Amino acid sequence: MKTYLSFFTSSVIGLLLFSCHKPIEQVSPPPDKVVAKTILDVSYGSDPLQNMDVYLPANRSTTATKVIVMIHGGSWESGDKTELTEFVDTLQRRQPDYAIFNINYRLSINGINVFPTQENDTKAALQFIIDNATNYIISKKIVLLGVSAGGQLALLQAYKYNLPVVPKAVVSFYGPTDLTAMYNDPGDALIPPALAEIIGKTPTQDPSIYTNSSPLNFVSSSSPPTIFFHGGMDPLVKASQAVSLQAKLQSAGVVNQYVFYPNESHGWLGPNLFDSFNKIQAFLSANVK
């Protein structure tokens, strides 16, 4: 028994000594997890209205994380990005792999910030997003989504410019497409004087600013896939604006989907809004890779 205990004790001591000299395995720490972030009122310019809210999903990457840039309405003279916060919530649930940038822009009020200020701000905001894509850990696959005046700005940026990036798709809710026609054939008698004040001139005084601010005039075969929505009872932007856009897109061979709700006005809620987002989700899935 004594011999057995001596052997056992020696074995344990030897094992301990051997263990003390065994190399220690280096275990690398797990990589930092990319968490979701919300950053409000990020400046992209020197004016207080040149700002955006940024919503970044978890586990994003510079190769896979696509981007939706949202542009509010308000006749280019009012409105705020907070009006689209509910859209942000909806898109986060439906498109959880997308980053969302909800932008403000300078408003045309009392002869200040007339056209093309809002167009320039949209382009500047997009440039800021592209320039900071690596910092935000997002790709440069951009979708533009605008409502009313924001729809015009989204369509104009998508069709008119190749820089800073050509969007993968554009979404417009009842956005004007031809400002000259909107002035000459208004849905409401108050629209022409309002347009002249917001833009700074009438079409007779400066036809070029109306031409250069109308998305319809920049549709080409290289324009991005477009889905657009309009209500048949819209008193501000006539449905003929959407019909003209559809004809131009079809003629140019651009992938497009025109969704018409005959009994809706300038904006809608309930089942048709739910249907709108169903269609947006399907359209982006099919066209943004």
Side-chain angles (χ1 to χ4, degrees):
M1 178 66 71
K2 182 177 180 181
T3 302
Y4 175 78
L5 288 174
S6 297
F7 173 78
F8 178 78
T9 302
S10 298
S11 298
V12 170
I13 292 172
L15 181 61
L16 290 173
L17 289 172
F18 176 78
S19 298
C20 289
H21 290 87
K22 185 179 180 181
I24 299 174
E25 294 183 8
Q26 299 295 321
V27 179
S28 300
D32 292 338
K33 183 178 180 181
V34 180
V35 299
K37 287 184 180 180
T38 296
I39 314 168
L40 302 180
D41 298 322
V42 176
S43 295
Y44 66 87
S46 58
D47 190 278
L49 280 176
Q50 291 174 309
N51 65 76
M52 62 180 73
D53 294 340
V54 180
Y55 303 85
L56 304 172
N59 303 319
R60 60 193 179 277
S61 74
T62 56
T63 56
T65 302
K66 298 178 281 291
V67 177
I68 295 175
V69 179
M70 303 177 65
I71 311 172
H72 71 81
S75 301
W76 307 280
E77 63 178 349
S78 64
D80 185 82
K81 56 184 167 58
T82 56
E83 296 171 3
L84 298 185
T85 300
E86 291 186 6
F87 277 24
V88 172
D89 294 338
T90 297
L91 289 169
Q92 284 181 315
R93 290 193 300 271
R94 289 173 171 267
Q95 315 283 168
D97 55 336
Y98 274 77
I100 300 172
F101 292 75
N102 187 13
I103 74 169
N104 269 337
Y105 48 88
R106 288 173 290 175
L107 303 173
S108 178
I109 303 174
N110 299 325
I112 301 172
N113 296 331
V114 297
F115 277 30
T117 298
Q118 297 72 36
E119 174 186 338
N120 293 339
D121 279 2
T122 301
K123 189 176 183 183
L126 194 56
Q127 183 70 63
F128 176 87
I129 295 167
I130 294 299
D131 289 346
N132 288 278
T134 300
N135 296 332
Y136 285 129
I137 319 177
I138 57 174
S139 76
K140 297 179 182 179
K141 299 173 182 178
I142 304 289
V143 174
L144 298 179
L145 185 156
V147 177
S148 191
Q152 176 263 345
L153 293 171
L155 293 169
L156 191 63
Q157 174 66 43
Y159 300 158
K160 188 174 181 178
Y161 296 105
N162 292 324
L163 295 173
V165 67
V166 176
K168 296 295 183 182
V170 58
V171 182
S172 171
F173 281 92
Y174 38 91
T177 65
D178 184 341
L179 298 189
T180 303
M182 191 175 182
Y183 184 96
N184 292 328
D185 184 23
D188 186 282
L190 295 177
I191 290 176
L195 270 180
E197 181 178 354
I198 293 162
I199 294 175
K201 299 285 182 62
T202 68
T204 301
Q205 293 169 328
D206 188 353
S208 64
I209 188 62
Y210 282 77
T211 298
N212 289 328
S213 301
S214 297
L216 193 70
N217 296 325
F218 297 95
V219 172
S220 71
S221 60
S222 60
S223 294
T226 304
I227 181 170
F228 49 113
F229 302 83
H230 219 99
M233 307 297 290
D234 193 326
L236 300 178
V237 182
K238 295 179 72 171
S240 57
Q241 296 265 318
V243 173
S244 296
L245 178 61
Q246 183 186 37
K248 196 74 175 285
L249 292 169
Q250 297 279 49
S251 178
V254 177
V255 173
N256 73 92
Q257 184 176 356
Y258 172 33
V259 182
F260 179 66
Y261 300 115
N263 297 317
E264 295 291 2
S265 184
H266 195 69
W268 47 86
L269 299 171
N272 281 340
L273 186 60
F274 186 80
D275 178 71
S276 298
F277 278 102
N278 281 343
K279 288 180 167 58
I280 291 170
Q281 187 172 5
F283 191 84
L284 297 187
S285 178
N287 293 287
V288 182
K289 304 300 182 182

